Amino acid sequence: MCLSSALSLQSAHAANTDGSLVGRTTPNAEVTVRNPATGFTRTVRADEQGNYRFPFLPVGHYTLESNVAGEPAGQAAEVDISLGNATNYNLGAGATNLATVQVVGSRVISPVDVTSTESATNITRQEVARLPVPRDITDVATLAPGVNRGEFGGISFGGSSVAENSVYINGLNVTDFYNRVGFSSMPFSFLQEFQVKTGGYSVEFGRTTGGVINAVTRSGTNEFHAGADIVIDGIAQADGENQPAQVRSYDDSDQNTYAVWASGPIIKDKLFFFGIYEKRDLDSQNTNDGGSTLFVDQGNNDFWGTKFDWQISDNHQLELLAFSDKNDTTEDSYPFDYVSGDRQARQNRTFNKSGGDNWALTYTGYLTNNLSMKVLYGENERTASVNSLNDSSCNLVQDRRVNADFIGCTANTSVVDRSDDREAARIDFEWNLGDHNVRFGADHENNTSEYSSVYPGDGLRYEISNIPGGRRVNGVLIPAGPTAYVRTRQVANQGTFETENEAYYLEDNWQITENLMLNLGVRWEKFDNKDAQGQSYIKMDDMIAPRFGFAWDFVGDGRSKLFGNAGRYFLPVANVINIKQAGPFLDARRFYLFNGFTTLTNPTTGEEVPQPILGAEIGTVDDSQGNGQVGDFRGEVDADMDPVYQDEYILGYQSMLNETWSWGVRGIYRKLHDAIDDMELTWNGFCEMDSFVMANPGKDVTIWADTDCDDEADAFTTIDTSRTGWLLGEDENGNPITIGWDKAKRTYRALEFVLDRAWDDKWMFNASYTLSYSKGNAEGPVNSDTDFADSGRTEAFDNPFVAQGGYGYLPNDHRHQFKFRGAYAFTDNWSVGATLDVQSGRPISEFGAGNPYDTTEFLSHYICEANCDAADPADRVFRLSKRGAYDRLPWVYSLGASIAYSKSFGEHKLNAKLAFYNITNQQRVLERDETREEENGIGSVGETWLNGTQYQSPRYAQFILSYEY
């Protein structure tokens, strides 16, 4: 539902960094809007029908008046401009529908925007202050219908994976482009308003098949203000009572922040500033899953941010945003006994760095009465650096026979140094042509990743495992005697990798009649992912994304609407693909018999730690994922690859029940077309091969290959991977027997109901229910059921058997979602707030390792039930376990409550809020280990199968104290 204000009969679209004001007045009248806080003033002349429009208005509170020949045309009004919306207000002789407007205090409340075709939820910092909502953009986004938390710290919009969203701050894209999970952060004290777009958004937005989070920061005014915020987190935190002892027993987290800010004029009515400094103290601890290591984290991270606004004239504005969200955290690890709670001397210290410096410069020009423009250039930086004291001396050793614990002198899984820098530029125009409001523009992003990664110590990761029941390791039958083996893995990569994204868009918001508005748009996009030498690796252009929407005020009273839209959305390829597939990536896996332990010396403690002794090598090295050389991309990338895109269809109805209550319903259908993923091809139609290829699974793949079987590539060949590409063997006549891949599929169907009561200085209420079905064989660019976070490099299509028979309910399928939030002011000083989220559990799959076609052992939906040791796969007995059909996780309930006190002492204001989260201390399991059979272990149940791997956070409280003047 679009919960923004709009009441007139003009197109109500606005840009992503500000809002618009539209309406009707006396024909040819001069209409003036003024922000009393900044002195910003702009005047336009209404057309012959009395229509007026102010585009690109900064978010804020304005006065509005209309004049004819120097005389007022109607009573002046006060209106609020919200983010991404057009506030619609009529005054004077053209005001024919004032009955639909209610003015409460100084605000216009109009819950139904009769001209908007998009689905969006606007939330201001004032509303967040009234509610028990953690001060995090992710938590704010989950207030919107159909949005829920996913894996890897991300959020899922409408059944999409967590790697398909975009986040903007003041128009600057701050989305992580390395893996498309996460984004640059800033404190709530710096933010003014949020808009969560869940569907049907304008062609101005792209590079997402999920949703859009749009936020703007606070700005200075003509009055000097300053303040301080203290946030004490983790108060009264409950223990993880219902969770395995080794997972949560000793977990604790205290994260306190202290912010000071100031704002005001540098030159009155011309130049303003807002500046903030926040000190962040982190003190937390947690154990590993086995309870054998205790990790203690400490961080002393500072954030600074500033915003400058220069009103050069009434027709020209310039703003500068700059902030730094650098984080430096140290983590100490200690050998630990979770039964007694005893810890030994520190074993290692790990250093983590993230975040970076960011800035954006934006110019807004009102060129004529009807033509306006906005230009932005900025840079967004994110770093990721991990290293430890013991990296040079200690090897990474994991004993998977017992709790999969790391038993060496380091648990640092990689020595990483990465920097991601985005250079973004965009230009947007708005041209009002009577019944047509035309918007067009272009944007360009240059995304560069500098990357280096190796394992600590000698560069090898050692994993000790029991020899499985079938006694096959790396495809080799192990005779009786040895009981364990060691797999070593060497992973290394480095280089500079660049991606260029480019787009142009054109949109016409056509007011066909007084009651019917059409939104017609098209977006043209191009993605160019490059290798370490700067050559194109994956390049796709001529991606045409049409969008069509309508809004019909069929009653004609401005109180209800029928609306709908259809659109196409393209998803770019994350930079992690360039890095892992188009660089000198080495991933060498070797297998050895385990011959016991020797020792190494921990340089931090001086103690001896175990190091496995490698026996005879088993089989040959597996470097199919990367041999350390930059290959011939003609044989590694489909020459005619299709992009990933999603089609979306929405039909909805929204209506006002009275001046503050509104309700709405909308139906949503989303279909994801194709996936781009790595596939291991072993047959090219002429000869055997063994190469991972980036392509569209289940479609034609064109690569440079060996067609005369002399081990030298000699020609392009096209492989129909829907029926071939994987060699199973030969028939009795020596002809190859092959199998193909299932095409990637994902659909999302949902019905959403929303009931809303606007805040009237006394109370507010919002409730939503979403019934949804997310089904397919591909979750998206990441896999949360197997915890694989490399976007676009999932296991889903590594071989044909991973997806075969795997069509079913996906990990982001939460069939039922109820969301409630409300606030009530008892007095001018005291208020309470509450939130309640109720969500049905996600489906659980049962992953096997084998298949009934060949002896490959990886991930599959086949469970071996008999004769699992047979050398001939035809003699084995398998059961197909469809995706999501094994079970479902339990319903999850989360109740929050807050009490707030505010008091003014002249110009001084004091606010305090105590918020409690998960009051009932529900600790339901949110994720389980879904791998029943481990690789090289078909027929046997893995020791950790169905173990809980993620749980609901226990009850805790947060105290916020704010002062300003």
Side-chain angles (χ1 to χ4, degrees):
M1 291 310 115
C2 183
L3 303 181
S4 59
S5 299
L7 287 175
S8 183
L9 302 177
Q10 292 203 34
S11 138
H13 286 261
N16 67 339
T17 60
D18 41 39
S20 295
L21 176 61
V22 298
R24 183 169 297 159
T25 185
T26 303
N28 299 311
E30 285 192 341
V31 187
T32 299
V33 65
R34 182 177 186 273
N35 186 329
T38 64
F40 170 80
T41 303
R42 176 155 165 75
T43 300
V44 299
R45 183 174 296 277
D47 64 18
E48 295 181 354
Q49 287 75 43
N51 297 313
Y52 72 88
R53 181 179 185 86
F54 293 94
F56 299 142
L57 287 181
V59 171
H61 182 72
Y62 291 80
T63 60
L64 177 68
E65 61 182 28
S66 176
N67 292 277
V68 177
E71 297 295 327
Q75 186 177 359
E78 298 185 19
V79 294
D80 283 340
I81 303 301
S82 61
L83 176 62
N85 297 309
T87 299
N88 200 311
Y89 195 83
N90 299 341
L91 73 169
T96 59
N97 60 354
L98 287 180
T100 63
V101 178
Q102 180 193 18
V103 179
V104 178
S106 61
R107 301 186 307 112
V108 176
I109 295 176
S110 47
V112 177
D113 179 345
V114 296
T115 61
S116 174
T117 65
E118 74 172 10
S119 301
T121 299
N122 277 62
I123 303 169
T124 65
R125 63 191 307 268
Q126 289 81 7
E127 182 174 358
V128 173
R130 290 190 288 265
L131 297 170
V133 179
R135 294 162 65 92
D136 181 88
I137 293 179
T138 298
D139 290 288
V140 173
T142 57
L143 295 176
V147 182
N148 56 74
R149 283 189 173 274
E151 289 298 301
F152 320 120
I155 47 180
S156 169
F157 285 76
S160 65
S161 74
V162 299
E164 301 174 52
N165 309 315
S166 292
V167 180
Y168 294 84
I169 297 177
N170 285 17
L172 178 65
N173 188 354
V174 297
T175 315
D176 167 39
F177 60 78
Y178 166 75
N179 217 25
R180 293 199 58 82
V181 179
F183 48 87
S184 300
S185 63
M186 59 175 53
F188 256 52
S189 301
F190 195 24
L191 294 170
Q192 177 62 31
E193 187 171 349
F194 309 85
Q195 187 182 56
V196 183
K197 296 178 182 288
T198 55
Y201 31 89
S202 163
V203 288
E204 176 184 355
F205 293 93
R207 305 184 189 118
T208 168
T209 47
V212 174
I213 301 176
N214 192 19
V216 290
T217 62
R218 299 167 70 181
S219 298
T221 66
N222 275 327
E223 294 184 359
F224 180 82
H225 293 281
D229 300 320
I230 300 175
V231 181
I232 309 298
D233 247 327
I235 304 172
Q237 184 171 336
D239 294 332
E241 298 171 354
N242 300 324
Q243 301 170 20
Q246 66 268 33
V247 175
R248 286 278 191 175
S249 295
Y250 294 92
D251 288 9
D252 188 23
S253 178
D254 294 316
Q255 183 166 342
N256 305 325
T257 60
Y258 312 90
V260 292
W261 58 268
S263 68
I266 299 175
I267 302 174
K268 189 175 182 181
D269 289 341
K270 288 292 184 181
L271 184 60
F272 311 93
F273 79 95
F274 186 98
I276 184 172
Y277 170 82
E278 182 177 82
K279 182 179 176 60
R280 304 169 175 177
D281 288 339
L282 171 67
D283 188 3
S284 67
Q285 67 176 35
N286 66 282
T287 61
N288 63 342
D289 288 347
S292 61
T293 304
L294 178 71
F295 301 100
V296 177
D297 294 308
Q298 287 188 326
N300 188 2
N301 306 306
D302 301 336
F303 174 96
W304 64 261
T306 188
K307 172 89 179 303
F308 291 94
D309 294 274
W310 182 17
Q311 296 175 177
I312 303 171
S313 71
D314 289 347
N315 294 326
H316 304 279
Q317 298 181 67
L318 197 64
E319 65 178 73
L320 173 66
L321 167 72
F323 67 93
S324 175
D325 64 341
K326 291 181 179 179
N327 285 302
D328 295 330
T329 303
T330 61
E331 181 178 81
D332 291 331
S333 58
Y334 303 86
F336 187 69
D337 184 340
Y338 79 86
V339 176
S340 65
D342 294 334
R343 77 179 188 187
Q344 300 175 23
R346 189 185 72 192
Q347 183 180 58
N348 194 9
R349 170 168 287 181
T350 302
F351 306 92
N352 293 272
K353 295 183 179 181
S354 62
D357 295 329
N358 309 268
W359 67 273
L361 186 67
T362 304
Y363 163 77
T364 304
Y366 307 104
L367 306 181
T368 71
N369 197 52
N370 296 315
L371 179 63
S372 301
M373 70 178 294
K374 185 178 285 286
V375 182
L376 177 145
Y377 179 82
E379 295 188 13
N380 167 232
E381 182 182 80
R382 289 170 60 87
T383 60
S385 173
V386 182
N387 62 86
S388 79
L389 291 177
N390 295 353
D391 285 343
S392 61
S393 305
C394 293
N395 299 325
L396 189 64
V397 181
Q398 187 176 22
D399 194 340
R400 300 180 63 87
R401 299 172 302 173
V402 183
N403 293 323
D405 284 348
F406 291 102
I407 60 174
C409 48
T410 184
N412 181 25
T413 56
S414 189
V415 182
V416 176
D417 188 9
R418 191 185 85 235
S419 176
D420 301 318
D421 186 77
R422 170 189 282 112
E423 297 176 345
R426 66 175 301 131
I427 184 169
D428 302 277
F429 291 90
E430 182 170 313
W431 193 8
N432 189 21
L433 300 172
D435 293 334
H436 297 267
N437 183 50
V438 179
R439 303 174 65 246
F440 55 96
D443 78 277
H444 182 92
E445 291 186 353
N446 194 70
N447 302 330
T448 303
S449 296
E450 294 186 4
Y451 184 86
S452 173
S453 175
V454 294
Y455 284 132
D458 60 8
L460 298 179
R461 175 171 179 160
Y462 299 81
E463 295 180 354
I464 307 168
S465 300
N466 289 318
I467 292 176
R471 302 199 66 79
R472 286 188 177 274
V473 176
N474 197 26
V476 176
L477 182 64
I478 306 300
T483 60
Y485 70 96
V486 181
R487 186 187 80 166
T488 69
R489 186 179 183 187
Q490 182 181 11
V491 176
N493 195 11
Q494 66 177 15
T496 300
F497 305 86
E498 180 182 344
T499 295
E500 289 189 55
N501 297 328
E502 188 174 349
Y504 302 87
Y505 73 89
L506 173 65
E507 178 181 77
D508 181 14
N509 298 289
W510 180 16
Q511 196 71 53
I512 295 182
T513 70
E514 289 188 351
N515 300 328
L516 177 63
M517 194 277 295
L518 292 184
N519 172 253
L520 307 170
V522 63
R523 181 181 175 93
W524 178 89
E525 296 196 74
K526 180 175 72 173
F527 307 143
D528 188 1
N529 293 63
K530 301 179 181 181
D531 64 14
Q533 280 75 45
Q535 303 297 313
S536 291
Y537 171 64
I538 297 176
K539 185 175 183 179
M540 290 175 288
D541 52 19
D542 295 332
M543 292 177 285
I544 307 299
R547 315 268 174 90
F548 168 79
F550 75 91
W552 182 24
D553 177 14
F554 56 91
V555 177
D557 61 358
R559 301 176 67 90
S560 61
K561 68 173 179 179
L562 180 69
F563 69 100
N565 47 63
R568 177 162 291 181
Y569 305 81
F570 288 92
L571 188 69
V573 177
N575 268 32
V576 66
I577 298 299
N578 312 33
I579 294 170
K580 298 294 180 69
Q581 303 289 119
F585 181 59
L586 173 65
D587 187 351
R589 310 176 196 198
R590 290 181 167 86
F591 298 79
Y592 304 87
L593 292 176
F594 174 56
N595 280 1
F597 288 105
T598 184
T599 59
L600 290 177
T601 302
N602 183 330
T604 300
T605 64
E607 297 178 350
E608 299 297 314
V609 294
Q611 173 74 16
I613 300 173
L614 304 182
E617 186 169 2
I618 306 169
T620 60
V621 60
D622 177 8
D623 60 4
S624 59
Q625 295 273 15
N627 62 7
Q629 303 296 319
V630 177
D632 185 346
F633 297 143
R634 296 177 300 172
E636 298 179 2
V637 180
D638 180 8
D640 192 25
M641 186 160 49
D642 293 327
V644 177
Y645 66 95
Q646 180 170 265
D647 288 332
E648 178 187 69
Y649 305 91
I650 296 175
L651 182 64
Y653 173 76
Q654 193 177 9
S655 177
M656 294 175 63
L657 299 174
N658 58 33
E659 304 311 321
T660 54
W661 285 92
S662 66
W663 75 281
V665 59
R666 69 173 183 141
I668 308 112
Y669 175 76
R670 287 178 157 191
K671 183 177 181 180
L672 185 72
H673 298 267
D674 295 324
I676 294 177
D677 218 319
D678 55 336
M679 308 163 58
E680 185 180 9
L681 299 181
T682 61
W683 178 255
N684 65 23
F686 300 93
C687 314
E688 287 190 52
M689 61 178 294
D690 187 8
S691 179
F692 274 86
V693 175
M694 293 300 298
N696 304 127
K699 301 185 71 173
D700 286 353
V701 175
T702 301
I703 57 172
W704 183 253
D706 175 16
T707 61
D708 57 9
C709 306
D710 65 352
D711 294 329
E712 294 290 337
D714 52 72
F716 278 103
T717 184
T718 298
I719 306 165
D720 180 1
T721 64
S722 67
R723 59 182 184 84
T724 188
W726 184 271
L727 182 64
L728 295 174
E730 296 180 348
D731 62 16
E732 57 187 15
N733 298 319
N735 297 315
I737 303 173
T738 64
I739 192 173
W741 278 255
D742 290 347
K743 187 177 181 294
K745 303 181 184 71
R746 187 184 78 195
T747 59
Y748 176 78
R749 297 173 174 86
L751 193 62
E752 289 181 0
F753 298 88
V754 176
L755 179 65
D756 185 76
R757 187 191 190 279
W759 174 256
D760 61 355
D761 296 330
K762 187 65 177 179
W763 70 291
M764 60 78 63
F765 177 75
N766 181 276
S768 68
Y769 166 68
T770 303
L771 171 67
S772 63
Y773 300 83
S774 182
K775 207 168 186 179
N777 63 1
E779 178 184 353
V782 296
N783 282 356
S784 60
D785 47 11
T786 58
D787 282 332
F788 199 91
D790 274 359
S791 184
R793 295 185 66 250
T794 70
E795 312 101 320
F797 301 98
D798 278 9
N799 65 45
F801 317 114
V802 182
Q804 191 176 84
Y807 185 83
Y809 292 111
L810 294 166
N812 291 311
D813 180 77
H814 293 277
R815 189 63 40 80
H816 305 281
Q817 297 179 60
F818 298 87
K819 297 183 180 183
F820 305 91
R821 66 179 186 269
Y824 181 80
F826 288 102
T827 68
D828 291 340
N829 304 114
W830 289 96
S831 65
V832 294
T835 59
L836 174 62
D837 290 347
V838 181
Q839 184 180 89
S840 60
R842 58 173 267 187
I844 301 175
S845 296
E846 180 186 21
F847 289 107
N851 69 83
Y853 301 96
D854 66 13
T855 57
T856 300
E857 293 190 27
F858 187 52
L859 283 172
S860 78
H861 291 276
Y862 293 99
I863 308 301
C864 188
E865 297 193 313
N867 302 327
C868 301
D869 295 339
D872 187 345
D875 295 332
R876 303 174 183 177
V877 179
F878 286 93
R879 167 177 57 87
L880 178 63
S881 181
K882 292 187 176 181
R883 178 184 290 274
Y886 179 79
D887 199 358
R888 276 191 178 264
L889 293 172
W891 283 65
V892 176
Y893 308 83
S894 183
L895 175 64
S898 63
I899 182 168
Y901 174 80
S902 61
K903 180 69 174 178
S904 296
F905 305 90
E907 296 182 354
H908 302 265
K909 297 179 181 179
L910 181 68
N911 296 277
K913 183 174 78 170
L914 180 63
F916 294 88
Y917 302 102
N918 191 13
I919 291 177
T920 58
N921 201 27
Q922 294 283 321
Q923 296 182 32
R924 303 292 176 87
V925 60
L926 303 179
E927 179 189 275
R928 292 191 184 279
D929 182 351
E930 300 178 43
T931 304
R932 178 188 178 106
E933 297 177 348
E934 299 285 348
E935 187 176 352
N936 295 315
I938 66 169
S940 57
V941 179
E943 295 181 359
T944 60
W945 182 52
L946 295 183
N947 282 1
T949 56
Q950 184 177 341
Y951 293 83
Q952 200 175 354
S953 296
R955 179 184 58 242
Y956 74 97
Q958 179 187 68
F959 178 70
I960 305 169
L961 181 64
S962 300
Y963 164 76
E964 66 176 279
Y965 68 91

